[in-house]
Each structure stands twice: as structure tokens, then as C-alpha cells.
Tab-separated table of all heavy atoms in Angstrom:
chain	number	residue	atom	x	y	z
A	1	TRP	N	0.843	-1.235	0.025
A	1	TRP	CA	0.068	-0.013	-0.020
A	1	TRP	C	0.737	1.265	0.004
A	1	TRP	O	0.536	2.315	-0.562
A	1	TRP	CB	-0.874	0.006	1.183
A	1	TRP	CG	-1.722	1.268	1.254
A	1	TRP	CD1	-1.589	2.336	2.102
A	1	TRP	CD2	-2.905	1.527	0.574
A	1	TRP	NE1	-2.529	3.290	1.847
A	1	TRP	CE2	-3.435	2.803	0.808
A	1	TRP	CE3	-3.659	0.827	-0.502
A	1	TRP	CZ2	-4.671	3.340	0.361
A	1	TRP	CZ3	-4.818	1.352	-1.079
A	1	TRP	CH2	-5.208	2.530	-0.599
A	2	ASP	N	1.949	1.195	0.711
A	2	ASP	CA	2.877	2.365	0.828
A	2	ASP	C	3.363	2.766	-0.596
A	2	ASP	O	3.928	2.003	-1.322
A	2	ASP	CB	4.009	2.078	1.713
A	2	ASP	CG	4.860	3.290	2.232
A	2	ASP	OD1	4.960	4.180	1.386
A	2	ASP	OD2	5.365	3.174	3.292
A	3	ASP	N	3.309	4.127	-0.794
A	3	ASP	CA	3.733	4.689	-2.138
A	3	ASP	C	5.244	4.435	-2.370
A	3	ASP	O	5.737	4.481	-3.437
A	3	ASP	CB	3.399	6.164	-2.122
A	3	ASP	CG	1.949	6.373	-2.363
A	3	ASP	OD1	1.157	5.477	-2.655
A	3	ASP	OD2	1.488	7.560	-2.197
A	4	LYS	N	5.962	4.242	-1.226
A	4	LYS	CA	7.358	4.015	-1.429
A	4	LYS	C	7.721	2.593	-1.920
A	4	LYS	O	8.750	2.360	-2.387
A	4	LYS	CB	8.031	4.099	-0.041
A	4	LYS	CG	8.002	5.508	0.616
A	4	LYS	CD	8.716	5.649	1.921
A	4	LYS	CE	8.605	7.070	2.491
A	4	LYS	NZ	9.155	7.108	3.887
A	5	VAL	N	6.621	1.729	-1.848
A	5	VAL	CA	6.792	0.407	-2.412
A	5	VAL	C	6.212	0.234	-3.811
A	5	VAL	O	6.716	-0.260	-4.687
A	5	VAL	CB	6.038	-0.609	-1.447
A	5	VAL	CG1	6.163	-2.122	-1.915
A	5	VAL	CG2	6.782	-0.545	0.027
A	6	VAL	N	4.980	0.776	-3.847
A	6	VAL	CA	4.307	0.840	-5.253
A	6	VAL	C	3.896	2.286	-5.406
A	6	VAL	O	3.067	2.816	-4.722
A	6	VAL	CB	2.923	-0.022	-5.208
A	6	VAL	CG1	2.236	0.051	-6.569
A	6	VAL	CG2	3.275	-1.485	-4.897
A	7	ASP	N	4.485	2.870	-6.381
A	7	ASP	CA	4.557	4.378	-6.521
A	7	ASP	C	3.547	4.875	-7.604
A	7	ASP	O	3.475	6.040	-7.932
A	7	ASP	CB	5.960	4.884	-6.811
A	7	ASP	CG	6.462	4.482	-8.157
A	7	ASP	OD1	5.867	3.661	-8.780
A	7	ASP	OD2	7.641	4.892	-8.438
A	8	ASN	N	2.747	3.950	-8.197
A	8	ASN	CA	1.812	4.488	-9.230
A	8	ASN	C	0.414	4.162	-8.964
A	8	ASN	O	-0.386	3.873	-9.818
A	8	ASN	CB	2.250	3.835	-10.578
A	8	ASN	CG	2.139	2.259	-10.527
A	8	ASN	OD1	2.057	1.606	-9.597
A	8	ASN	ND2	2.330	1.710	-11.806
A	9	TRP	N	-0.009	4.311	-7.658
A	9	TRP	CA	-1.302	4.177	-7.229
A	9	TRP	C	-2.183	5.396	-7.625
A	9	TRP	O	-1.676	6.540	-7.579
A	9	TRP	CB	-1.378	4.117	-5.669
A	9	TRP	CG	-1.403	2.727	-5.147
A	9	TRP	CD1	-0.249	2.140	-4.484
A	9	TRP	CD2	-2.376	1.778	-4.989
A	9	TRP	NE1	-0.678	0.901	-4.039
A	9	TRP	CE2	-1.877	0.685	-4.405
A	9	TRP	CE3	-3.744	1.756	-5.424
A	9	TRP	CZ2	-2.659	-0.475	-4.113
A	9	TRP	CZ3	-4.587	0.633	-5.249
A	9	TRP	CH2	-4.001	-0.450	-4.496
A	10	PHE	N	-3.489	5.178	-7.981
A	10	PHE	CA	-4.469	6.147	-7.885
A	10	PHE	C	-5.235	5.860	-6.607
A	10	PHE	O	-5.855	4.787	-6.489
A	10	PHE	CB	-5.407	6.176	-9.070
A	10	PHE	CG	-4.950	6.942	-10.292
A	10	PHE	CD1	-4.581	6.213	-11.380
A	10	PHE	CD2	-4.800	8.255	-10.295
A	10	PHE	CE1	-4.083	6.764	-12.574
A	10	PHE	CE2	-4.252	8.913	-11.371
A	10	PHE	CZ	-3.897	8.186	-12.538
A	11	LYS	N	-5.266	6.713	-5.657
A	11	LYS	CA	-5.934	6.431	-4.313
A	11	LYS	C	-7.009	7.534	-4.107
A	11	LYS	O	-6.955	8.660	-4.639
A	11	LYS	CB	-4.989	6.503	-3.105
A	11	LYS	CG	-3.990	5.394	-3.294
A	11	LYS	CD	-2.899	5.460	-2.059
A	11	LYS	CE	-1.907	4.263	-2.235
A	11	LYS	NZ	-0.835	4.391	-1.197
A	12	THR	N	-8.124	7.115	-3.327
A	12	THR	CA	-9.177	8.020	-3.111
A	12	THR	C	-9.648	7.829	-1.697
A	12	THR	O	-9.074	6.924	-0.947
A	12	THR	CB	-10.292	7.822	-4.128
A	12	THR	OG1	-11.358	8.838	-3.883
A	12	THR	CG2	-10.953	6.393	-3.852
A	13	GLU	N	-10.537	8.628	-1.241
A	13	GLU	CA	-11.023	8.627	0.150
A	13	GLU	C	-12.560	8.616	0.111
A	13	GLU	O	-13.165	9.417	-0.494
A	13	GLU	CB	-10.414	9.809	0.870
A	13	GLU	CG	-10.584	9.780	2.341
A	13	GLU	CD	-9.788	10.833	3.054
A	13	GLU	OE1	-8.619	10.824	3.267
A	13	GLU	OE2	-10.438	11.904	3.366
A	14	LEU	N	-13.133	7.718	1.113
A	14	LEU	CA	-14.550	7.726	1.306
A	14	LEU	C	-14.995	8.965	2.115
A	14	LEU	O	-14.074	9.554	2.711
A	14	LEU	CB	-14.896	6.477	1.957
A	14	LEU	CG	-14.723	5.113	1.103
A	14	LEU	CD1	-14.972	3.916	2.090
A	14	LEU	CD2	-15.547	5.152	-0.149
A	15	LYS	N	-16.222	9.157	2.208
A	15	LYS	CA	-16.784	10.242	3.037
A	15	LYS	C	-16.439	10.127	4.430
A	15	LYS	O	-16.185	11.126	5.161
A	15	LYS	CB	-18.218	10.390	2.873
A	15	LYS	CG	-18.720	10.742	1.458
A	15	LYS	CD	-18.392	12.156	1.052
A	15	LYS	CE	-19.005	12.617	-0.219
A	15	LYS	NZ	-18.765	13.881	-0.707
A	16	ASN	N	-16.257	8.891	4.914
A	16	ASN	CA	-15.937	8.591	6.290
A	16	ASN	C	-14.483	8.664	6.580
A	16	ASN	O	-13.902	8.476	7.720
A	16	ASN	CB	-16.535	7.293	6.789
A	16	ASN	CG	-15.813	6.063	6.014
A	16	ASN	OD1	-14.909	6.292	5.311
A	16	ASN	ND2	-16.495	5.019	6.112
A	17	GLY	N	-13.621	8.968	5.526
A	17	GLY	CA	-12.214	9.118	5.695
A	17	GLY	C	-11.445	7.918	5.442
A	17	GLY	O	-10.194	7.990	5.326
A	18	ASN	N	-12.088	6.781	5.126
A	18	ASN	CA	-11.274	5.507	4.788
A	18	ASN	C	-10.640	5.660	3.359
A	18	ASN	O	-11.329	6.129	2.464
A	18	ASN	CB	-12.157	4.318	4.960
A	18	ASN	CG	-12.618	3.994	6.417
A	18	ASN	OD1	-11.874	4.386	7.282
A	18	ASN	ND2	-13.675	3.237	6.472
A	19	GLU	N	-9.443	5.196	3.300
A	19	GLU	CA	-8.779	5.233	1.955
A	19	GLU	C	-9.107	3.988	1.214
A	19	GLU	O	-9.238	2.801	1.629
A	19	GLU	CB	-7.277	5.315	2.214
A	19	GLU	CG	-6.720	6.620	2.580
A	19	GLU	CD	-5.227	6.807	2.561
A	19	GLU	OE1	-4.615	6.148	3.525
A	19	GLU	OE2	-4.701	7.334	1.667
A	20	LEU	N	-9.194	4.198	-0.171
A	20	LEU	CA	-9.392	3.151	-1.068
A	20	LEU	C	-8.334	3.359	-2.259
A	20	LEU	O	-7.936	4.503	-2.551
A	20	LEU	CB	-10.712	3.130	-1.647
A	20	LEU	CG	-11.928	2.771	-0.767
A	20	LEU	CD1	-13.275	3.037	-1.456
A	20	LEU	CD2	-11.850	1.389	-0.105
A	21	GLY	N	-8.103	2.228	-2.977
A	21	GLY	CA	-7.239	2.301	-4.189
A	21	GLY	C	-7.985	1.957	-5.386
A	21	GLY	O	-8.927	1.125	-5.409
A	22	LEU	N	-7.794	2.595	-6.498
A	22	LEU	CA	-8.326	2.157	-7.797
A	22	LEU	C	-7.399	1.008	-8.394
A	22	LEU	O	-6.233	1.233	-8.454
A	22	LEU	CB	-8.396	3.327	-8.759
A	22	LEU	CG	-9.393	4.366	-8.547
A	22	LEU	CD1	-9.346	5.515	-9.540
A	22	LEU	CD2	-10.819	3.691	-8.604
A	23	GLY	N	-7.987	-0.127	-8.759
A	23	GLY	CA	-7.216	-1.324	-9.009
A	23	GLY	C	-6.153	-1.153	-10.015
A	23	GLY	O	-6.426	-0.741	-11.155
A	24	LEU	N	-4.918	-1.306	-9.603
A	24	LEU	CA	-3.758	-1.442	-10.583
A	24	LEU	C	-3.417	-2.891	-10.782
A	24	LEU	O	-2.694	-3.193	-11.782
A	24	LEU	CB	-2.657	-0.551	-10.118
A	24	LEU	CG	-1.967	-0.690	-8.628
A	24	LEU	CD1	-1.055	-1.987	-8.667
A	24	LEU	CD2	-1.312	0.567	-8.338
A	25	SER	N	-3.770	-3.778	-9.953
A	25	SER	CA	-3.592	-5.205	-10.122
A	25	SER	C	-4.538	-5.927	-9.131
A	25	SER	O	-5.132	-5.269	-8.309
A	25	SER	CB	-2.085	-5.626	-9.777
A	25	SER	OG	-1.811	-6.920	-9.996
A	26	HIS	N	-4.667	-7.206	-9.163
A	26	HIS	CA	-5.743	-7.847	-8.399
A	26	HIS	C	-5.222	-9.102	-7.532
A	26	HIS	O	-6.026	-9.886	-7.145
A	26	HIS	CB	-6.903	-8.238	-9.214
A	26	HIS	CG	-7.973	-7.128	-9.442
A	26	HIS	ND1	-7.739	-6.090	-10.355
A	26	HIS	CD2	-9.089	-6.735	-8.842
A	26	HIS	CE1	-8.641	-5.273	-10.309
A	26	HIS	NE2	-9.489	-5.613	-9.402
A	27	GLU	N	-4.005	-9.142	-7.376
A	27	GLU	CA	-3.479	-10.277	-6.537
A	27	GLU	C	-4.144	-10.374	-5.234
A	27	GLU	O	-4.631	-11.376	-4.733
A	27	GLU	CB	-1.934	-10.279	-6.357
A	27	GLU	CG	-1.159	-10.629	-7.602
A	27	GLU	CD	-0.910	-9.437	-8.495
A	27	GLU	OE1	-1.461	-8.407	-8.258
A	27	GLU	OE2	-0.150	-9.567	-9.457
């Protein structure tokens, strides 16, 4: 999850503040 490990995430945030990622892979 850390951008230092995978640096090409598109991430977003729910109204309640929880973070989500837009799928870049599905393992």
C-alpha cells in the first residue's frame, strides 16, 4: 500500500475518511 513500495497508485477517500485504491492489479 505504501507509495514507497508501489509508486503508481491512484488512491481516493470515502466520505468517512477511509482510503481506497483504484485497481492497478488484483493479486
Side-chain angles (χ1 to χ4, degrees):
W1 179 260
D2 193 325
D3 287 347
K4 294 178 182 177
V5 179
V6 179
D7 63 359
N8 57 351
W9 270 105
F10 278 112
K11 296 177 180 176
T12 187
E13 193 173 277
L14 297 175
K15 295 291 186 181
N16 62 11
N18 291 340
E19 286 187 283
L20 295 174
L22 288 178
L24 55 79
S25 190
H26 276 78
E27 285 88 351

